[in-house]
Amino acid sequence: METIKATAESVVYRNEENGYTVLIAKSGRSRLTAIGTIPEVAEGEQLELEGNWQEHPVYGRQFRVASVRIQAPTTVTAVERYLASGLIRGIGPATAKLIVRTFGKDALDIMAEEPQKLLEVPGLGKKKVQMITESYAQHHQQREIMLLLQEYHIPPSLAMKINKQYGDDVREILRTNPYRLVDDIEGIGFKTADQIAVAAGIDKNSAFRISSGIRYLIREASVSGGHCYLPREKLIAESVRVLGCEADLADHTLDSLILDGYVKAEILQSPEGEEFVAVYDRFSWQAEQQTAVKLIRLLNAGGQREFTDEEIEQSIDSMQRIEGLTFHAAQKEAVRLAVHSRVSVITGGPGTGKTTIIKCILHTLGDDAGVALAAPTGRAAKRMSEACGAEAKTLHRLLEYNGEGGQFLRGKNHPLEVETLIVDEMSMVDISLMRSLLDALPAGTRLILVGDADQLPSVGAGNVLRDILNSGAVPSVCLSEIFRQDEKSMIVYNAHRINRGELPKLNAKDGDFYFERAATPGEAVQKVLSLCESRLPSFLGLDSVRQIQVLSPTKKGDCGVYELNRRLQQTYNPPEAGKAEKLRGDTLFRVGDKVMQTKNNYTLQWKREGLLAWEEGEGVFNGDIGYIQEIDAEESTITVLFDDDRLTVYEADDIEDLELAYCISIHKSQGSEFPVVVMPVVGGPPMLMNRNLFYTAVTRAKRFVMLVGREAVISQMVGNTYVRQRYTALDQRLRALCNHDGDEEG
């Protein structure tokens, strides 16, 4: 970080919503351009800017501001320039000259402490003096709050949010209980609140701190680890480690949180049969409990149309003739199970015929059977539609998200009007979405869940597909034999080898699964760039940006997501005169860039061109990939066209959920399928570089896989069976409810 003392000269651009500012300032004899989230400043104010220099390809050298200290102008000339800047309502250049002529360099002190004296200025009446006084006081107060928050090392963008949320109450909240910020303001976590508390002198053993810290640890376990709960002993140990408090204090505080209803405790059993106390936040506990109840209730309901074995067999024979194939015994059993059962699960790896089975189920049920198809992501739904020849919706679209607080219009009081629902890519469905889905299904609905249980679990909390299978409560079929038309695919063949713990066969003649050796990460980067830019597009005859997807196991390092995105952007979409750009955080977005949404945003509006009119809706979701169509610097917006033709305008606050997507993490690729996958295999943390991750990456490719790196890393990943345990209990709940009618929801 570098510190520069400068005088504000002019504001080139300012976004009032988020405080992003382009400022010209003078430092010594030089002028500089400062950019970033900056409190309102006026000409003549003395600034102390802290930040770093950066080179913009179009605008040249700029100073990116991390924090600002502002001193009121002290000379007569500087005071006049400040007042004439237009920052204070009611004061223009002429009035500024009169005020300074009357009070000199003390003008600002007079306005702050004795504003009634402004009546001494020629031409100023009571009404105008009141306007000036109120405007100056408001500006001064906001400025003080922003600077106060910077003293606590809060980034200016978050400081803007805090100021909007609390206004005059900020000082009192920071002094007494800054942990309120965690609950009230998105983007502020416990660690930020804790930094403020330390700076404010709040005791590290205060009840506010320990209580907020324990709740933070439970939430963080859900967000970062996918856990629905934490064992009490582990939670106490984590509290001692992270909060630096005594175990007895953490234990006592947790008891209070349980009694007050902030968290939920329940006795569960470990796989070894030992009892322990599990601690949930209330939302996760309700989601898991209600999912189990509703699933068993659906399993025990009647009302579906019954089919005879003969009818199903005739439909399978008809399907085999239409498709020109022969079903394996397990595939026939999957069709029979799905049609006969109220709830069923069909799992299997690539090439085992899951899609063909869905088509056969549709064929058996008939066109007027009230069947709906759905998948967790837009890409997965689009692929399901194309493969099955019938419309598939995302689960959020199916459930009609209403844009408020994660709620859906479809639910218990307004259920879906379907007789059969088939959900693909079930490994991606988390416990919250599963609860919402089941809540919207009326009794008598036939539910068919399809997925690959060996892929990575959902990004959100829970391990729904695996837990349902482990419970034994729901009829299921696991497909293992490769379908005839996929037998020659080395991608399919190697995916199954990897899943069995066998090394993939590399570089088979006329195959679709290749490996290129690179001794170092740096060499791997160069080869990935060369393959993506020219070699693979030329060899395969495809679009390098839209049809080749680079996947990385890690985010950091030479072959991590961040660095590869930077290098691939420079390769695919370099800066050009006239090509609009926008810097957000450490990412420079450019028109034409490939980008990904990284969080579910239920309120973000979109429109899609239809045959007769524009279709409009809300919701852009984690993993959606699109391309930047337009960047409006004045409005601070980015317009993105997603793969399913949704056109979305991102306002300033929403842009933080966008990332470049030339390279994405394997976790973010779940539910997607790409013509070509390029993946560096150069090593990484053993807890991450496992068989499960490798299998998921390989199964994302439809046409071609290209690995770049070292054979030893491939061997290590195949041999590493470590899977991070997720603390979930849906399987236990399902087993416990199997012999009950499921009437109690808890």
Side-chain angles (χ1 to χ4, degrees):
M1 287 278 187
E2 184 177 341
T3 300
I4 296 175
K5 292 185 177 181
T7 303
E9 289 207 332
S10 63
V11 175
V12 177
Y13 170 76
R14 178 172 175 80
N15 184 307
E16 294 300 334
E17 287 297 313
N18 60 13
Y20 180 81
T21 303
V22 179
L23 172 73
I24 304 298
K26 188 174 182 181
S27 179
R29 296 183 178 180
S30 312
R31 281 180 173 79
L32 61 92
T33 301
I35 62 169
T37 304
I38 300 172
E40 276 192 293
V41 297
E43 292 181 35
E45 289 191 297
Q46 303 300 306
L47 312 176
E48 190 174 283
L49 307 174
E50 189 175 72
N52 293 301
W53 288 101
Q54 63 182 34
E55 191 70 30
H56 191 281
V58 176
Y59 302 114
R61 199 164 187 245
Q62 299 176 326
F63 192 75
R64 182 159 187 79
V65 175
S67 66
V68 184
R69 294 183 185 278
I70 304 174
Q71 296 177 342
T74 53
T75 67
V76 169
T77 302
V79 169
E80 184 176 332
R81 286 176 64 196
Y82 167 74
L83 290 175
S85 67
L87 202 63
I88 310 301
R89 288 177 59 229
I91 302 180
T95 304
K97 189 179 290 292
L98 288 171
I99 291 173
V100 171
R101 185 181 296 167
T102 304
F103 300 116
K105 65 180 182 180
D106 298 326
L108 298 183
D109 291 334
I110 295 294
M111 291 172 64
E113 297 168 13
E114 301 175 276
Q116 70 277 3
K117 285 190 175 182
L118 288 173
L119 291 170
E120 299 174 16
V121 178
L124 291 188
K126 288 184 178 180
K127 190 173 182 180
K128 194 166 187 179
V129 166
Q130 184 178 358
M131 179 195 298
I132 292 170
T133 301
E134 289 176 355
S135 178
Y136 182 76
Q138 183 181 24
H139 167 69
H140 193 65
Q141 181 186 51
Q142 289 178 349
R143 169 83 61 76
E144 282 189 338
I145 290 172
M146 292 293 290
L147 297 179
L148 170 68
L149 292 170
Q150 284 192 15
E151 289 182 11
Y152 291 115
H153 306 290
I154 296 173
S157 57
L158 284 180
M160 290 283 291
K161 289 184 179 181
I162 295 170
N163 188 24
K164 283 184 179 181
Q165 175 76 21
Y166 297 124
D168 296 347
D169 298 329
V170 167
R171 291 181 181 82
E172 180 66 15
I173 290 169
L174 295 181
R175 186 181 65 80
T176 58
N177 182 17
Y179 299 101
R180 271 187 60 182
L181 275 63
V182 180
D183 293 325
D184 294 346
I185 300 174
E186 185 178 356
I188 294 188
F190 172 79
K191 291 181 180 179
T192 300
D194 208 32
Q195 288 177 355
I196 298 171
V198 169
I202 292 176
D203 189 340
K204 74 170 189 174
N205 290 324
S206 80
F208 287 136
R209 179 174 186 268
I210 306 305
S211 174
S212 180
I214 290 174
R215 293 171 67 191
Y216 156 76
L217 289 171
I218 298 172
R219 284 194 298 267
E220 185 64 16
S222 174
V223 172
S224 300
H227 303 298
C228 289
Y229 69 84
L230 284 177
R232 179 170 182 136
E233 288 187 6
K234 183 177 180 64
L235 177 57
I236 295 300
E238 278 293 285
S239 300
V240 171
R241 184 183 69 82
V242 174
L243 304 178
C245 63
E246 295 293 329
D248 286 347
L249 178 58
D251 206 54
H252 175 73
T253 305
L254 179 55
D255 283 338
S256 297
L257 286 170
I258 294 168
L259 287 171
D260 292 339
Y262 288 110
V263 300
K264 181 76 175 179
E266 185 174 0
I267 296 175
L268 298 176
Q269 277 195 338
S270 70
E272 296 75 30
E274 297 178 359
E275 290 188 343
F276 67 95
V277 177
V279 182
Y280 291 78
D281 67 47
R282 288 200 61 84
F283 179 83
S284 293
W285 181 83
Q286 288 172 350
E288 196 174 76
Q289 178 80 352
Q290 291 176 11
T291 294
V293 169
K294 293 173 189 297
L295 198 58
I296 294 300
R297 183 177 295 162
L298 200 63
L299 191 65
N300 292 333
Q304 296 97 341
R305 178 190 164 190
E306 299 291 340
F307 290 82
T308 66
D309 287 339
E310 184 179 358
E311 286 177 310
I312 297 172
E313 199 62 41
Q314 287 175 353
S315 178
I316 292 172
D317 290 342
S318 171
M319 191 68 182
Q320 289 179 136
R321 288 193 300 272
I322 293 169
E323 297 289 328
L325 48 81
T326 303
F327 279 15
H328 294 302
Q331 291 165 330
K332 292 181 180 181
E333 175 57 25
V335 175
R336 283 192 291 267
L337 182 79
V339 174
H340 278 316
S341 304
R342 296 172 177 87
V343 182
S344 59
V345 181
I346 301 170
T347 67
T352 55
K354 295 191 298 295
T355 300
T356 303
I357 287 169
I358 294 174
K359 291 169 70 175
C360 190
I361 293 168
L362 294 172
H363 184 65
T364 303
L365 296 176
D367 295 334
D368 59 347
V371 181
L373 305 180
T377 67
R379 294 176 72 91
K382 185 177 181 180
R383 193 172 73 247
M384 192 181 188
S385 295
E386 292 168 349
C388 297
E391 183 188 16
K393 297 180 179 180
T394 64
L395 288 169
H396 286 84
R397 188 177 170 206
L398 179 77
L399 297 174
E400 298 177 24
Y401 182 77
N402 69 1
E404 296 179 6
Q407 301 301 308
F408 297 96
L409 291 177
R410 294 290 184 171
K412 183 165 51 179
N413 297 324
H414 184 36
L416 292 166
E417 296 165 5
V418 298
E419 295 178 28
T420 297
L421 175 63
I422 305 175
V423 183
D424 198 8
E425 295 288 355
M426 267 300 299
S427 63
M428 296 183 66
V429 176
D430 61 33
I431 193 68
S432 173
L433 186 55
M434 189 64 181
R435 187 264 297 267
S436 296
L437 175 64
L438 293 171
D439 198 38
L441 294 181
T445 305
R446 179 187 288 106
L447 178 61
I448 303 167
L449 308 176
V450 183
D452 185 347
D454 292 315
Q455 288 184 23
L456 293 170
S458 58
V459 175
N463 204 355
V464 174
L465 179 59
R466 176 59 64 186
D467 277 357
I468 290 174
L469 290 169
N470 287 345
S471 73
V474 177
S476 64
V477 170
C478 181
L479 307 172
S480 57
E481 294 189 65
I482 300 173
F483 221 33
R484 183 162 57 85
Q485 62 262 41
D486 287 321
E487 287 176 353
K488 293 182 180 179
S489 168
M490 293 304 295
I491 297 174
V492 173
Y493 176 73
N494 280 332
H496 286 269
R497 285 184 65 87
I498 291 166
N499 207 25
R500 294 193 300 266
E502 302 169 10
L503 291 176
K505 290 187 182 278
L506 307 172
N507 302 338
K509 185 179 179 181
D510 300 325
D512 53 14
F513 198 107
Y514 282 81
F515 168 78
E516 189 160 305
R517 188 173 291 105
T520 66
E523 184 183 351
V525 170
Q526 293 303 321
K527 291 194 173 185
V528 167
L529 295 176
S530 173
L531 284 161
C532 292
E533 182 181 19
S534 57
R535 291 168 57 196
L536 287 177
S538 175
F539 175 59
L540 297 170
L542 42 71
D543 184 304
S544 56
V545 176
R546 292 180 180 269
Q547 294 179 288
I548 296 176
Q549 184 60 60
V550 180
L551 302 181
S552 176
T554 61
K555 290 191 174 181
K556 297 180 181 179
D558 290 344
C559 288
V561 170
Y562 302 138
E563 181 62 17
L564 279 174
N565 264 321
R566 189 184 69 81
R567 299 290 297 273
L568 286 163
Q569 183 192 46
Q570 188 66 26
T571 298
Y572 286 136
N573 192 26
E576 294 177 11
K579 185 182 285 187
E581 297 178 338
K582 180 171 180 58
L583 185 68
R584 180 71 181 188
D586 295 327
T587 303
L588 181 66
F589 293 107
R590 190 173 291 136
V591 169
D593 275 338
K594 184 178 184 179
V595 292
M596 172 182 275
Q597 174 76 11
T598 60
K599 293 181 181 177
N600 288 340
N601 185 326
Y602 302 103
T603 59
L604 199 56
Q605 296 183 335
W606 54 262
K607 61 181 182 178
R608 176 165 44 207
E609 190 171 8
L611 292 175
L612 300 176
W614 284 90
E615 176 190 357
E616 296 184 349
E618 292 181 330
V620 180
F621 304 107
N622 190 0
D624 287 350
I625 290 177
Y627 302 86
I628 294 179
Q629 304 293 296
E630 182 183 353
I631 294 176
D632 189 323
E634 288 189 8
E635 296 295 328
S636 196
T637 61
I638 292 179
T639 302
V640 177
L641 181 66
F642 286 99
D643 278 346
D644 57 359
D645 299 324
R646 284 172 301 154
L647 192 68
T648 302
V649 178
Y650 282 75
E651 303 289 344
D653 288 344
D654 298 318
I655 294 171
E656 63 189 31
D657 295 336
L658 280 179
E659 287 182 357
L660 293 176
Y662 299 106
C663 175
I664 63 177
S665 70
I666 296 168
H667 283 83
K668 290 290 186 185
S669 75
Q670 288 175 265
S672 298
E673 189 175 75
F674 310 100
V676 177
V677 164
V678 177
M679 176 183 170
V681 282
V682 296
M687 290 178 67
L688 181 65
M689 304 288 286
N690 58 25
R691 183 188 301 173
N692 193 213
L693 189 83
F694 191 26
Y695 172 79
T696 299
V698 166
T699 55
R700 299 307 89 207
K702 185 176 182 180
R703 181 176 170 187
F704 199 89
V705 168
M706 187 78 220
L707 306 177
V708 181
R710 296 185 290 120
E711 295 98 323
V713 175
I714 295 174
S715 178
Q716 289 165 7
M717 292 185 77
V718 172
N720 183 4
T721 58
Y722 172 82
V723 176
R724 186 177 181 183
Q725 179 186 2
R726 285 197 170 193
Y727 292 116
T728 66
L730 179 60
D731 54 349
Q732 290 190 48
R733 299 185 190 282
L734 288 170
R735 283 194 295 269
L737 287 168
C738 262
N739 296 320
H740 296 80
D741 61 14
D743 283 338
E744 294 299 323
E745 292 195 14

